[in-house]
Amino acid sequence: MDGIQGASGAASRSQGILRDVAGAQVISKTLEKMNTFQTLSGPAVDAGYQFRKDVLHAAGIGTMLNTIA
C-alpha cells in the first residue's frame, strides 16, 4: 500500500514540475517579446535585457530558488 501512495506522490510532484517548467517557458517568451522592438534592419532585442538574460541568468544571479521540500 505504501508503494502505491509513494508512486502517486511522485507522479503528482512530476506533474507539478512540468507545470512549473511550462509556466517558466511562457514567462520567458513573454519577456522576450516585450523586450524586442522593430528596426529598419529587422527585429532587435534591448541590450540591457540581453545582458541580464545571457550573463546574469547564466551565472545564477537574480534567480529565485524554490526552497519548499
Side-chain angles (χ1 to χ4, degrees):
M1 192 74 158
D2 289 337
I4 294 172
Q5 290 173 347
S8 172
S12 68
R13 281 193 298 275
S14 67
Q15 288 175 348
I17 291 170
L18 290 175
R19 193 175 322 122
D20 290 347
V21 169
Q25 290 173 341
V26 168
I27 290 171
S28 179
K29 290 293 184 185
T30 301
L31 287 172
E32 193 78 31
K33 285 187 180 243
M34 290 174 62
N35 287 288
T36 302
F37 55 94
Q38 192 65 32
T39 65
L40 293 175
S41 59
V45 178
D46 178 54
Y49 170 74
Q50 192 68 38
F51 173 78
R52 289 188 300 275
K53 186 178 95 174
D54 293 343
V55 176
L56 298 179
H57 185 264
I61 299 171
T63 59
M64 295 179 60
L65 298 176
N66 185 358
T67 57
I68 298 174

